[in-house]
Amino acid sequence: MTLRDGRLNVPLHESFKKLGSSVEFDKRLFHEDIKGSEAYTKALCKRGIIKKKEEELILKGLREIEKEIESGKFRFKEEDEDIHMNIERRLFEKIGETAYKLHTGRSRNEQIVLDERLYLMDVTETVKKKLGGLLKAILGLAKRNIEVIVPSYTHLRQAQPVSIAHLLLAYCYALLRGKERFGDFKKRLNTMPLGSGACAGSSIGIDRDFLKKELGFESITRNSIDAVSTRDFIAEFEWICGTLFITFSRMCEDIIILSSEEFSIYTIPDELSTTSSLMPQKKNPDPLELVRGKSARVIGNLFSLMVLMKGIPYTYNRDLQEDKEGLFDTVDNTLLVFDVMTELFRSIKLNKKVIAEKLGESKDLLFATDLVDYLVERGVAFRKAHGIVGQIAKFAVDRGIQLRKIPIDEYKKFCSSFAEDLYEIFSWERSVNRHDVPGGTALNRITEEIKNIESISTSNL
Ligand code: ARG
């Protein structure tokens, strides 16, 4: 018996075969599908729909099928549409008519969301582990370089001196939020949909609590229509990945810029570089550019899913089949990119000598805000001090001199509150350490935050 031997009784038109078949991509859910079928078989037996002997026969058949798929011996057939029907067909080939009892009271509408939920439970754990590895690599780089001071940038123009670790910890906090989001997402994901039937709920009184325990879920879905209709758990996963990819993309952009000849703050290892087919001297950051490129696609996958969902009437509609390729693509690229990013932060080099030279020769306009603070501490109103230092900065730029080279008499012409001790502000360490608030770049604060990140990232979020 195939699905078409009843109501339709004619073969599916050739033109629809390819469009309708999802087995080419949903076959990767075979573990989850078999796990779901095993639990369902036991529930059917418990309910008295199948006998113990039949239960054993089905379970044995399913185990063999799983092995066949794992070893690559299984022959998937396009005409069987999806992973569910491929397995059912093979089960029939193996154990005969008893195979047809497995689907009693069950619908593929609930089966597919069960598979997807099980799959994402697993994937989320893997992603969280990889995220932990990346955090560790970034923290390692930060710890080794707390004392390396670099200019920070706003509008890609030099702003204020910061420890490079401060920038690296910014990445860490974005990643930690990702980890936290996955944890929170799992609470909603961890809900068992089986027993929802096609849309109205099981008509054979299947024991949903038994299924929940058997499959290791925390709770069961509370509305059968919602259970088969929603894909918001997939959208949520894709959003978390998309948000992580925005961070990956920006980290890569930072490193591409800061490793360019003009900046030379980082050196990307040769193993993560490429060259040009024409210009033999080139060392290009292609892997980082590709991560930036992948982010477009991962964000795109989220958008296609949301657009896919927005116009479908409740409950299940076949459009929903289109949720999978984007999801798998997002999962594959997320796992891949975590490995690249982790390797990058493990092996990237900071050019401390170049950084020191650059800071030394850089116009000390980076101290302008410290100069404003100096005046403010001596009672000048901030807005006035800002204007005065602005004029001094212009004076220095116009004459091509450093702020620290302007004589005190000259400073006094701008504001009588200046005194000899103003020259003490021209120290990178002093400037950095003055930003001594929780979350600031003062070195003691960074040490504090490293400890904080280490303890959060090892806790089970
Ligand atoms: N391949 C389908 C999907 O991914 C499985 C559910 C099919 N259900 C149905 N009523 N045709 O959504």
Side-chain angles (χ1 to χ4, degrees):
M1 281 293 266
T2 75
L3 278 186
R4 304 191 63 81
D5 291 337
R7 169 73 173 80
L8 302 169
N9 212 15
V10 285
L12 188 66
H13 194 274
E14 272 307 312
S15 66
F16 182 65
K17 272 190 190 153
K18 195 152 177 54
L19 178 70
S21 175
S22 57
V23 69
E24 210 24 59
F25 49 87
D26 67 18
K27 65 183 174 198
R28 66 191 274 173
L29 294 171
F30 77 93
H31 274 305
E32 291 76 10
D33 203 68
I34 288 175
K35 191 174 171 185
S37 288
E38 283 170 346
Y40 199 73
T41 306
K42 291 178 195 166
L44 285 177
C45 184
K46 202 166 167 283
R47 169 69 185 77
I49 305 252
I50 55 171
K51 300 196 178 63
K52 195 74 197 154
K53 279 236 145 10
E54 292 175 311
E55 179 199 68
E56 281 162 15
L57 194 62
I58 295 175
L59 290 178
K60 185 168 165 286
L62 288 172
R63 273 195 299 275
E64 285 171 16
I65 292 173
E66 192 165 29
K67 288 212 180 76
E68 284 176 19
I69 302 179
E70 278 166 355
S71 64
K73 286 197 195 110
F74 190 96
R75 279 193 51 242
F76 291 101
K77 291 191 184 155
E78 188 181 76
E79 58 271 30
D80 287 328
E81 271 188 21
D82 50 33
I83 183 65
H84 324 298
M85 295 315 294
N86 267 274
I87 291 176
E88 185 178 305
R89 182 252 312 153
R90 183 69 186 130
L91 192 63
F92 173 74
E93 287 166 7
K94 284 177 143 330
I95 67 170
E97 291 274 330
T98 312
Y100 290 157
K101 294 192 174 180
L102 169 60
H103 210 57
T104 315
R106 184 172 68 163
S107 161
R108 283 183 292 166
N109 301 354
E110 54 181 341
Q111 211 177 340
I112 188 61
V113 274
L114 172 74
D115 292 2
E116 290 176 324
R117 283 180 186 270
L118 284 171
Y119 168 75
L120 279 177
M121 294 285 288
D122 202 46
V123 163
T124 305
E125 276 318 293
T126 313
V127 174
K128 276 172 75 183
K129 270 197 204 100
K130 287 196 184 265
L131 206 153
L134 174 57
L135 267 172
K136 219 168 141 193
I138 303 178
L139 271 184
L141 185 65
K143 273 161 117 174
R144 293 194 293 279
N145 296 289
I146 295 182
E147 275 155 28
V148 177
I149 296 173
V150 293
S152 62
Y153 296 85
T154 61
H155 313 268
L156 202 52
R157 300 287 183 274
Q158 291 195 349
Q160 293 172 318
V162 293
S163 157
I164 186 85
H166 199 47
L167 174 61
L168 295 169
L169 296 198
Y171 304 154
C172 290
Y173 273 110
L175 294 175
L176 271 182
R177 285 194 295 277
K179 196 169 173 212
E180 205 175 280
R181 283 176 188 131
F182 279 126
D184 190 51
F185 156 71
K186 274 196 99 171
K187 289 183 215 151
R188 284 176 289 281
L189 176 69
N190 207 335
T191 307
M192 206 283 305
L194 221 51
S196 299
C199 64
S202 170
S203 54
I204 58 163
I206 203 87
D207 186 342
R208 298 194 68 206
D209 271 323
F210 169 82
L211 284 167
K212 174 190 89 174
K213 284 188 200 116
E214 198 61 26
L215 292 163
F217 281 95
E218 255 166 31
S219 58
I220 54 173
T221 53
R222 308 298 310 183
N223 180 292
S224 56
I225 289 181
D226 178 47
V228 297
S229 302
T230 190
R231 293 296 182 273
D232 59 7
F233 61 100
I234 300 181
E236 197 172 347
F237 176 86
E238 290 188 18
W239 181 80
I240 302 172
C241 292
T243 307
L244 276 175
F245 262 87
I246 293 175
T247 302
F248 292 156
S249 185
R250 296 184 70 180
M251 294 197 280
C252 286
E253 176 62 5
D254 273 1
I255 295 172
I256 291 169
I257 293 175
L258 295 178
S259 63
S260 66
E261 287 86 350
E262 283 70 19
F263 285 81
S264 304
I265 284 182
Y266 288 115
T267 300
I268 300 173
D270 287 359
E271 288 83 352
L272 290 177
S273 304
T274 49
T275 189
S276 153
S277 58
L278 174 68
M279 300 164 281
Q281 87 285 10
K282 288 298 294 286
K283 187 180 152 186
N284 293 332
D286 288 28
L288 282 68
E289 294 166 61
L290 282 166
V291 172
R292 210 173 47 189
K294 292 282 187 196
S295 67
R297 146 174 190 172
V298 167
I299 293 165
N301 289 337
L302 167 66
F303 275 48
S304 348
L305 178 64
M306 296 201 333
V307 176
L308 172 76
M309 287 193 299
K310 75 167 187 61
I312 326 183
Y314 276 81
T315 66
Y316 179 86
N317 298 266
R318 193 64 179 276
D319 322 36
L320 290 171
Q321 181 162 297
E322 289 296 314
D323 63 351
K324 276 171 275 309
E325 283 166 292
L327 170 64
F328 295 147
D329 186 68
T330 289
V331 169
D332 292 343
N333 281 305
T334 303
L335 298 179
L336 184 72
V337 163
F338 264 118
D339 290 346
V340 174
M341 296 304 287
T342 306
E343 188 45 43
L344 176 70
F345 281 100
R346 271 195 203 129
S347 52
I348 197 165
K349 293 274 171 301
L350 261 176
N351 303 320
K352 296 189 194 175
K353 242 184 96 194
V354 180
I355 294 168
E357 280 164 19
K358 272 187 190 285
L359 268 187
E361 76 202 18
S362 105
K363 296 198 184 60
D364 48 24
L365 288 174
L366 274 177
F367 290 111
T369 322
D370 298 271
L371 211 49
V372 173
D373 291 345
Y374 173 92
L375 288 178
V376 166
E377 272 162 26
R378 278 151 192 79
V380 182
F382 170 78
R383 185 55 63 220
K384 255 183 102 183
H386 181 274
I388 293 166
V389 176
Q391 286 165 10
I392 299 172
K394 183 166 169 28
F395 178 88
V397 171
D398 289 349
R399 283 164 184 72
I401 54 171
Q402 301 263 42
L403 289 180
R404 71 186 88 189
K405 292 282 156 59
I406 303 175
I408 184 67
D409 297 343
E410 216 48 71
Y411 269 110
K412 278 186 183 295
K413 282 187 203 158
F414 287 101
C415 179
S416 59
S417 301
F418 280 121
E420 279 291 348
D421 63 352
L422 84 88
Y423 296 98
E424 285 166 21
I425 69 156
F426 298 114
S427 147
W428 303 115
E429 290 73 21
R430 181 185 175 280
S431 173
V432 163
N433 283 324
R434 285 188 70 253
H435 297 88
D436 189 8
V437 287
T441 189
L443 302 190
N444 62 314
R445 297 296 183 171
I446 292 179
T447 313
E448 213 170 272
E449 292 308 322
I450 288 177
K451 283 199 201 107
N452 184 37
I453 294 170
E454 273 172 341
S455 79
I456 312 177
S457 60
T458 46
S459 70
N460 199 15
L461 287 178

